[in-house]
Amino acid sequence: MSESTTTEVIRTEGLVKRFGAVTALNGVSLYLRQGEVLGLVGDNGAGKSTLIKILTGFLQPDEGRIFIDGREVRLRSVSYARSLGIETVYQDLALVNELSVYHNMFLKRETLLNPLPLLNNWRMRRLAREYLESMGVNIPSVDTEVAQLSGGQRQSIAIARAVYSRARILLLDEPLAAMGAKEGSLIMNLIRTLKNEGQVSIIMIAHNYAQVLEICDRVNLLQHGRIALDKPAGQTSVEELTELVMREYRVGANQRQQPLAGR
Amino acid sequence: MAENVLSAPPVQTEPEPTPERPNPWLRVARLFLRQREASIVVVAIALIIYFQFSNQAFLSTQNIRTLSQFVAATAIISAGEVMLLICGEIDLSVGQVYALAPFIMYFANQAGLPLLVGLILGLIVCALVGLFNGLITVMLKVPSFITTLGTLFLINGLTLTISQGFPVLTPSEGLINEILGHASYSEIIWAIAITIVMQVVLSWTRWGLHTVATGGNLLGASEVGVNVARIKIGNFMLCSVLGGFAGILEAFRITSIDPLAGGTDIMFMAVAGAVIGGTALTGGLGTIVGAFLGTLVLSILRDGFTLLGVSAFTFDIILGAAILVAMILNVRLRLWREAGRE
Ligand SMILES: Nc1ncnc2c1ncn2[C@@H]1O[C@H](COP(=O)(O)OP(=O)(O)O)[C@@H](O)[C@H]1O
Ligand SMILES: [Mg+2]
């Protein structure tokens, strides 16, 4: 384990997160290797989004340790996590409908007309246009309000925003949700491209096991706030993952029925 | 980078603009109406024409000065309210801060401090009131409608207590008084300058961008790393300071300081002006210039009806109806514009 630490960009040990009476994470230990795509699966409410929000500095864990590049860190804010090269595409995308595409892309990383404290809108507009074009993102104009874009376009903007800032670690929370087959495959292609370039290491949450197995190097299953399975994608299957999740569901259903049966 | 990795199907942003026979007038009109402030400019011009035809005195120098006085203080307060409304909050107490600030200045001056120092002290007190509003709202999660309703009574009581309920004469230091509201048009010049500066802050600075982001998507903005608490608290302070400054300008203009000045009247006028000018009460949308124009429309109505000799009671009925009509139009026009681009 100690020799592999050098190539691990993320390692967590025993992460615990409670929301009042709800224990969302109950000792999550996982790792992410340099250049790897890790698929994170689990039922709704398993704590996947919570885990991502901790790794991006948006939430603070109640217990547990986080190592980035082998060094223990306290991810106290989104800005600090970003300074370590961690970028996130949240499940809700975190786009502001009222703002243009380029203002969204540069939100919280605006370029200014130095020495004036004014926004350099020309530069941001140009950079956004160039970058989105180079990625093949098809939108009417970078001046368009985000409210007017389709689901796939919004997802593309959110991913482009995260990748643009030279992310080393990319956290994608359900990038394929609520998307048609065509738009979904476009996003899959983008993730594949990023993977082949090998610059970023990615944790991706998804519900479609087939897609996860297709694109990820390794799969982690989150259950009851813990990692219940950690296997290379080649050594597991849609059936195994489905079976594990369904078994939990059946156990849960049985437990709910038992008190009634006993009476 | 791979080619066309991300090309999602393009979404049409505009309806085919009447492809066969493009009526140029219609297109110009549509383009104009797509501007947020356009509808309100139309209303303002129509009102000016109407009142000028009804009474030649409307555009006289004398009346334009009166009109500018109606507009100035309210427009300054309105600028602050727009920033708050955009980030999803409201300040009901700004009319009371308006009355408090000149008293702080007055008492500081009575205590031997220069007038300008008193003015700054007054504004600092306003900033503290705003900080208080902001902290209660953001940290204790009390809706700002309630928080500032509380400070409304609190500050009003405070002003009445320190003034013992009596108006006082505004201290005079000659030039300072002239510049800060006493000279004709100096108040409206301040109002226009503040409108321009605040519009630049809103459209061209990080602060403005983050204010829109906070109101447009509170969770999203904070997920991206915007310090939404700071933005909100800062805008509460800004709104209070602008309210206090407007009160001080008015004190210099009318040369007396009244503990009952301002109040909910001027605050509601400012909020109504902002909303008529296109600011959404739901956050994320609004312009300072629009609020200025909205305030202008309200002032034209008030001044115009006064000139026509409409009684104060009738006037309130007409004003109320006008506000409702203007707001309904505002909402309809926005829906129309939004429908127009889908
Ligand atoms: N901010 C919050 N406040 C209270 N409970 C929360 C909050 N965020 C998540 N939870 C709870 O934590 C659990 C895990 O949620 P989440 O991480 O969103 O799951 P997933 O993304 O796997 O569907 C759920 O029971 C959810 O209700
Ligand atoms: Mg989730």
Side-chain angles (χ1 to χ4, degrees), chain A residues 44-45 48-50 91 173-174 205 207:
Chain A
N44 283 327
K48 305 181 297 293
S49 295
T50 304
Q91 190 165 0
D173 195 347
E174 304 206 15
I205 297 177
H207 280 296

Side-chain angles (χ1 to χ4, degrees), chain A residues 17-20 22-25 41-53 58-59 91 173-174 205 207 222:
Chain A
K17 180 69 187 177
R18 299 182 197 91
F19 297 106
V22 178
T23 303
L25 301 182
V41 300
D43 218 351
N44 283 327
K48 305 181 297 293
S49 295
T50 304
L51 178 59
I52 293 291
K53 286 181 179 174
F58 183 70
L59 292 177
Q91 190 165 0
D173 195 347
E174 304 206 15
I205 297 177
H207 280 296
L222 194 58

Side-chain angles (χ1 to χ4, degrees), chain B residues 103-117:
Chain B
F103 270 106
I104 303 284
M105 179 179 78
Y106 171 80
F107 284 114
N109 187 250
Q110 292 299 95
L113 293 171
L115 201 50
L116 222 45
V117 175

Side-chain angles (χ1 to χ4, degrees), chain A residues 53 78 82 90 92 94-95 98-99 103 107-108 110 118-119 121 134-138 140 148 153 156 186 190, chain B residues 1 5-9 11 13 36 204-206 209-210 212-213 216-217 219-220 222-226 284 341:
Chain A
K53 286 181 179 174
V78 175
R82 183 177 291 153
Y90 296 94
D92 63 16
L95 296 174
E98 288 80 0
L99 293 178
H103 274 151
L107 193 56
K108 230 354 209 173
E110 302 84 1
L118 299 180
L119 298 174
N121 283 331
S134 81
M135 288 180 77
V137 177
N138 193 348
Q148 300 172 26
Q153 289 173 321
S156 307
L186 294 166
L190 173 70
Chain B
M1 277 286 159
V5 169
L6 266 176
S7 50
V11 158
T13 47
R36 280 192 190 131
W204 289 89
T205 67
R206 269 194 185 137
L209 195 66
H210 293 176
V212 176
N217 185 351
L219 178 63
S222 57
E223 282 175 344
V224 172
V226 174
R341 61 183 192 202

